[in-house]
Amino acid sequence: MTRARIVAATANLMQRRPLRELRVAEIGQMAAVSSSTFYLYFESVAEAGLAVVEEVQQATPELMALLATEWTADNVMAKAKAFVQAYMAVWDTHHALLRIRNFVADEGDKRFHDVRRRAVEPIHLALQEKIEALQADLPPDQRLDPPSTASVVLAMLERTAALVRLPSAHKATRPRQIETTAFLLASALMGGMPRDVKNARKSPAKPAGQQRPARRRARQAEDGTTGA
């Protein structure tokens, strides 16, 4: 119970300020424990922060259920978009804690790095399976390496999830960023442009009677005819 109160107080403060700015005394005050009691459970504020981020579930049941469904060349874009939206939702819920976890990990704290790796490991493995399955029909020399591709995809998702919450100097919108991220995810899984995107972008040729007026007039001039 006491440990849980300390972890909850630390999580509350981490929502407001960087971990490095937190002090044992203020955590203890919020948790209604003394500093000496704090040290019975944690050696430092960083260790208490580590306990907080260990509780954040990134491979949620929704994400894993989506990855367990069948992804094909014909539905990969729709599946990728649903996946990106669900992934962003996790970040919307835990953005402050995930941002601190990643910042401390990037500074070289192996404990936080290991927590981040374990949090996304189920997603990483599931993405590798999708890459192998969706690129099975490609020639071997055209297939992407599944572990490397999954790592790059997750790095892209992680960074995008953090940035999409911030104001854009270039008027980028969240829906468009999600659409672009889904396209890049689907392309990486397929090893090329998704089939459903290709089909959507194909425009049927216009019948001869529906040619643009300017082009029709130019041809009439060359033939010496008029539209009358």
Side-chain angles (χ1 to χ4, degrees):
M1 178 67 76
T2 301
R3 185 184 187 278
R5 291 208 313 271
I6 294 172
V7 171
T10 305
N12 190 311
L13 291 167
M14 286 172 67
Q15 300 280 355
R16 311 177 197 175
R17 304 208 312 278
L19 185 62
R20 65 177 63 181
E21 293 182 5
L22 304 187
R23 300 292 178 262
V24 170
E26 63 181 328
I27 295 174
Q29 182 178 16
M30 181 170 285
V33 301
S34 65
S35 294
S36 58
T37 300
F38 175 94
Y39 285 113
L40 290 176
Y41 295 92
F42 301 103
E43 293 183 359
S44 64
V45 171
E47 191 174 282
L50 185 66
V52 171
V53 298
E54 282 178 330
E55 294 184 354
V56 177
Q57 185 180 24
Q58 217 167 336
T60 63
E62 181 185 2
L63 276 173
M64 299 312 298
L66 182 57
L67 287 170
T69 62
E70 184 179 12
W71 293 37
T72 68
D74 293 319
N75 70 13
V76 65
M77 186 63 191
K79 295 282 189 177
K81 187 172 182 179
F83 176 83
V84 171
Q85 289 172 326
Y87 189 92
M88 298 290 182
V90 175
W91 267 81
D92 287 341
T93 302
H94 304 291
H95 64 94
L97 301 181
L98 292 173
R99 188 175 65 247
I100 289 175
R101 181 200 68 184
N102 293 351
F103 179 79
V104 179
D106 290 341
E107 283 193 321
D109 192 315
K110 187 177 183 302
R111 298 170 301 172
F112 283 79
H113 178 273
D114 288 343
V115 169
R116 176 167 63 179
R117 178 184 55 76
R118 289 195 299 270
V120 299
E121 186 71 4
I123 301 174
H124 196 288
L125 294 174
L127 287 174
Q128 288 189 51
E129 292 178 0
K130 295 301 181 193
I131 293 163
E132 290 179 0
L134 289 168
Q135 298 185 27
D137 293 335
L138 293 178
D141 61 343
Q142 293 181 22
R143 299 173 193 166
L144 298 174
D145 176 61
S148 301
T149 306
S151 294
V152 170
V153 162
L154 281 173
M156 173 190 70
L157 287 165
E158 192 172 84
R159 188 59 181 155
T160 304
L163 291 177
V164 77
R165 298 179 54 83
L166 304 176
S168 172
H170 304 286
K171 298 181 180 179
T173 66
R174 182 185 177 103
R176 292 295 188 184
Q177 288 172 314
I178 289 176
E179 189 78 24
T180 300
T181 305
F183 172 79
L184 294 174
L185 170 60
S187 298
L189 296 181
M190 290 293 300
M193 184 180 289
R195 182 187 299 170
D196 44 351
V197 175
K198 284 182 181 178
N199 293 339
R201 291 186 175 182
K202 286 180 180 178
S203 56
K206 292 179 184 276
Q210 297 181 14
Q211 295 175 358
R212 294 180 179 178
R215 184 179 299 175
R216 187 166 59 247
R217 287 195 297 269
R219 288 186 176 179
Q220 290 171 347
E222 290 174 357
D223 296 339
T225 62
T226 68

